Amino acid sequence: MNILGNLLPQPSAQPRKRQRRTIELKSKREIEIMRQSAKIVATVLKEISEMVEPGMTTADLDAHAEKRIREMGATPSFKGYHGFPASICSSINNEVVHGIPNKKKVICEGDVLKVDTGAYYQGFHGDSCITIAVGEVTPDAADLIRVAEEALYAGIEQVKAGNYLLDIAGAIEDRVKAGGFSVVEDFTGHGVGRNLHEEPSVFNFRTREMPNVKLRAGMTLAIEPIVNAGSKFTRILKDKWTAVTVDNSLSAQFEHTVLVTEDGYEILTDRSKV
């Protein structure tokens, strides 16, 4: 989940320890718990990617996600978070992030569907997002989705102890711009763990306006580039959640929860392992 870019730890629906604004390094025990919360998220997103078809509603996907998260012993991270009413964010086409599932929102052939969800398990969150091409999409839409996913992995490849957030950001920005698209700057990734949003902000573009944190083993980061086909600028709808592109262009997003290790990274929400 990706609240406004400058969001740091905030109260969530689940009880937790007193929140701190420092960057937390997870212990081996905590990392093992996060592997489980992330596995739940990865499982749900894989199931949704396989079940989506034209004619379903975004409320159908939300109901499935909540049911499965709870069946696996967790609670939905998003539901109730700052008043968000659902277990997934479902954003279609020009909707950038934080789309609210609705039984009247029918998924259509050719849609570019973003599904973001999180699971809170034994005190820790996992968080991940995928973009799904519903049926046959246009070549331009397929290209956007491909570049957004490649940008995520380009950023992840820069993750290891001793590197910096700008290494991640630069790799993401370069891949997006090489594809002819724009990086959304209104939202960023974030630390994730005891809280759904922790420090540091994990930005997707080169900037001096946010701290260029040095990566250390034990950090857990939600890396999540958001890529628009047109303008990078967004606006928020009257529901106070859904962000859309200002020029009505398509948008795509991918996100993984990633563990920083001494010599690289571990993708905790890797769907290929569930």
Side-chain angles (χ1 to χ4, degrees):
M1 193 182 204
N2 199 324
I3 307 295
L4 288 174
N6 62 356
L7 181 70
L8 295 177
Q10 298 282 344
S12 184
Q14 295 83 18
R16 62 197 75 245
K17 293 182 179 180
R18 183 186 178 116
Q19 296 170 4
R20 293 164 284 177
R21 290 184 178 271
T22 56
I23 297 173
E24 294 191 6
L25 304 182
K26 276 65 174 184
S27 68
K28 290 183 178 179
R29 181 191 70 83
E30 291 168 342
I31 290 168
E32 186 53 42
I33 295 173
M34 286 197 67
R35 287 192 178 103
Q36 296 306 309
S37 62
K39 183 178 180 180
I40 292 168
V41 172
T43 299
V44 170
L45 288 180
K46 185 175 183 179
E47 290 176 357
I48 286 176
S49 71
E50 293 171 348
M51 69 183 281
V52 168
E53 60 182 22
M56 299 182 73
T57 70
T58 53
D60 294 331
L61 304 184
D62 182 64
H64 178 84
E66 179 167 0
K67 176 176 178 289
R68 293 291 290 127
I69 288 169
R70 294 189 186 280
E71 284 178 350
M72 289 183 276
T75 56
S77 297
F78 296 2
K79 195 165 189 178
Y81 187 73
H82 295 274
F84 190 77
S87 298
I88 66 169
C89 297
S90 53
S91 309
I92 297 177
N93 296 333
N94 70 318
E95 296 173 344
V96 177
V97 290
H98 303 157
I100 300 173
N102 189 310
K103 63 182 180 181
K104 295 182 180 179
K105 189 81 169 184
V106 178
I107 300 165
C108 299
E109 178 82 13
D111 277 346
V112 175
L113 169 67
K114 284 77 69 180
V115 179
D116 190 354
T117 196
Y120 183 71
Y121 177 78
Q122 295 186 9
F124 290 86
H125 295 273
D127 187 9
S128 186
C129 178
I130 58 175
T131 297
I132 302 167
V134 181
E136 292 293 326
V137 299
T138 67
D140 287 346
D143 193 36
L144 174 69
I145 294 169
R146 176 180 58 80
V147 170
E149 187 168 24
E150 289 175 357
L152 170 63
Y153 287 103
I156 291 173
E157 285 296 324
Q158 297 301 313
V159 174
K160 70 175 180 178
N163 275 6
Y164 288 83
L165 288 178
L166 270 176
D167 296 317
I168 299 172
I172 290 172
E173 183 177 35
D174 288 347
R175 181 65 196 94
V176 172
K177 288 187 173 179
F181 302 115
S182 61
V183 176
V184 171
E185 298 180 9
D186 292 335
F187 306 93
T188 73
H190 50 91
V192 60
R194 295 182 188 277
N195 301 285
L196 182 56
H197 291 86
E198 299 181 344
E199 291 209 40
S201 293
V202 183
F203 38 97
N204 301 309
F205 54 96
R206 292 180 177 88
T207 179
R208 294 185 180 180
E209 296 181 3
M210 287 182 278
N212 185 24
V213 173
K214 187 176 183 177
L215 303 182
R216 297 173 62 190
M219 288 182 179
T220 44
L221 308 174
I223 302 173
E224 46 182 323
I226 307 173
V227 181
N228 288 351
S231 169
K232 69 181 180 181
F233 295 106
T234 69
R235 63 183 180 88
I236 307 297
L237 298 184
K238 290 181 180 179
D239 65 17
K240 299 183 179 180
W241 279 103
T242 308
V244 299
T245 56
V246 296
D247 58 1
N248 205 40
S249 62
L250 295 176
S251 186
Q253 178 191 5
F254 285 90
E255 174 188 18
H256 273 310
T257 295
V258 180
L259 169 67
V260 181
T261 66
E262 289 292 351
D263 58 357
Y265 59 86
E266 179 184 345
I267 301 175
L268 300 182
T269 48
D270 186 351
R271 295 180 302 281
S272 70
K273 296 182 179 179
V274 299

